[in-house]
Amino acid sequence: MFKKNKTGESSHNVLNDTPSFKGAGPSGAQARAITWIAQDVTFVGNITASGDMAIYGTLHGNIDAKESRIEVKQGATVEGDIACRELIIDGNVIGQCTSDTIKIDENGIITGKLIYRDLAVKKGGIFSGNAEALPPVEEKNNVIGMKKDAATQSVAADKIQKA
């Protein structure tokens, strides 16, 4: 299906430009639904999603996908607020972005407010607006009321008593 043509140039393979979502596709252990907004599509309205998203076109509205990964690809535009687990921007976003991880790639432009735990901006990426860092996620343990520092001190105290 995707063979080299006689001039030596290979045919365009759209699969080479697909997002690298974990678990995507039938071979993933936990196949998740991926919402695609194609390059020539303009979508007006809010989206609530439980799966990952790849945006190549234009979206006028908010995205609520708190447990998902969203990629705004080069040439794409989102005008609205985005709430997700991981956000990768290589297009244009105007609005508030709330995410654990935000990555602005070389062609990415964000105008608005960022609320994040981890932020990376590649050379060429542009951010204009306000930024607010969220506090780090507290590590969970299986003992109720025990904090990480208390656990370390308790183990050290046990070793001293046994000696």
Side-chain angles (χ1 to χ4, degrees), residues 62-119:
N62 301 326
I63 303 172
D64 183 8
K66 290 184 177 75
E67 298 300 320
S68 303
R69 175 179 174 164
I70 297 175
E71 290 188 26
V72 180
K73 303 303 260 180
Q74 185 176 353
T77 300
V78 175
E79 292 181 10
D81 298 340
I82 300 173
C84 61
R85 176 184 47 82
E86 182 179 3
L87 178 60
I88 299 171
I89 298 172
D90 202 25
N92 189 14
V93 175
I94 300 168
Q96 178 173 303
C97 300
T98 305
S99 183
D100 285 337
T101 302
I102 298 176
K103 179 180 172 187
I104 304 172
D105 283 340
E106 296 89 358
N107 302 299
I109 300 172
I110 297 180
T111 305
K113 182 174 183 179
L114 298 181
I115 302 172
Y116 63 91
R117 283 197 174 77
D118 186 30
L119 175 65

Side-chain angles (χ1 to χ4, degrees), residues 22-58:
K22 293 178 182 172
S27 62
Q30 293 178 315
R32 293 181 62 157
I34 299 175
T35 301
W36 301 82
I37 297 178
Q39 185 175 4
D40 295 332
V41 172
T42 298
F43 182 89
V44 178
N46 297 327
I47 296 176
T48 302
S50 60
D52 298 331
M53 292 186 68
I55 302 168
Y56 292 84
T58 302

